[in-house]
Amino acid sequence: MLANKLKKGDTIGVVCPSDKVNNEDIPEIKEAERLLKERGYNVVFGKNVYKNTTGYGATAKEKAEDINEMYANKNINAIMSLKGGFNSNSVYEYLDLNTIKSNNKIICGYSDSTSYINYIHEKTGNIGFIGPNFKSLNAPGTNHYLLDEMLKRLENNYYDLATDD
């Protein structure tokens, strides 16, 4: 099941189901936020994004809590994983699949994030996107190509799914 297209003025929620946020990540995160705001989007971070309760980020329950809250929040139009890493599969048991299924939204990320995105698809039928993580939207050397291409697909070509036809 596809979510609605992204449009200017929409709000993108950021979750961190994988690795912890390091001090060196902060400038990249702030720049990614600035770039999205510059293009007309609002950005909201999950309340547990910056926690490092376990040494590799927030607890699995805290990480899942952010995901669940983003799905439940009617003002959030899309969800992006902050960064890759490991252990996003630890959130499975804490995800509220009923809330997720009934509040389908764009969800995007790569690396370890593909694990929970694919899990959500398997359990709810909601289609996620294997695309950039939030932090990588301003990857050095891409001249914002990555951000522009992601937005092009989520805004305009969203329903152009590859088929064997």
Side-chain angles (χ1 to χ4, degrees), residues 3-26:
N4 293 327
K5 293 180 183 181
L6 197 61
K7 54 190 179 310
K8 304 283 188 217
D10 280 352
T11 300
I12 298 169
V14 182
V15 297
C16 193
S18 297
D19 204 4
K20 69 181 180 206
V21 175
N22 298 305
N23 287 336
E24 59 269 14
D25 295 328
I26 303 297

Side-chain angles (χ1 to χ4, degrees), residues 8-159:
K8 304 283 188 217
D10 280 352
T11 300
I12 298 169
V14 182
V15 297
C16 193
S18 297
D19 204 4
K20 69 181 180 206
V21 175
N22 298 305
N23 287 336
E24 59 269 14
D25 295 328
I26 303 297
E28 293 174 72
I29 293 166
K30 294 210 177 294
E31 179 63 7
E33 180 180 16
R34 185 192 70 74
L35 290 170
L36 279 169
K37 286 181 175 181
E38 183 179 85
R39 284 167 173 77
Y41 295 95
N42 301 303
V43 177
V44 173
F45 292 90
K47 68 181 178 184
N48 297 304
V49 163
Y50 293 104
K51 280 190 178 179
N52 189 12
T53 312
T54 64
Y56 62 87
T59 66
K61 191 172 186 177
E62 291 168 330
K63 293 174 182 185
E65 184 179 314
D66 281 353
I67 296 166
N68 292 333
E69 287 179 5
M70 292 297 178
Y71 273 101
N73 185 335
K74 302 292 185 198
N75 296 316
I76 301 293
N77 307 96
I79 302 165
M80 290 190 75
S81 295
L82 182 67
K83 62 186 285 189
F86 55 93
N87 289 323
S88 72
N89 61 326
S90 67
V91 303
Y92 294 176
E93 68 181 292
Y94 302 108
L95 292 176
D96 182 346
L97 296 172
N98 291 324
T99 297
I100 291 170
K101 184 172 181 142
S102 61
N103 294 286
N104 191 19
K105 299 177 186 210
I106 293 169
I107 185 165
C108 184
Y110 76 96
S111 186
D112 182 58
S113 299
T114 60
S115 172
Y116 87 96
I117 291 170
N118 286 330
Y119 179 81
I120 287 171
H121 171 67
E122 173 65 26
K123 298 297 184 184
T124 68
N126 297 355
I127 295 173
F129 291 87
I130 307 307
N133 286 320
F134 186 81
K135 187 182 99 141
S136 63
L137 291 177
N138 64 327
T142 64
N143 211 14
H144 306 301
Y145 175 81
L146 184 64
L147 173 60
D148 294 338
E149 289 300 310
M150 180 195 77
L151 290 176
K152 188 185 330 178
R153 277 151 185 78
L154 299 181
E155 293 171 344
N156 304 318
N157 298 329
Y158 186 77
Y159 294 104

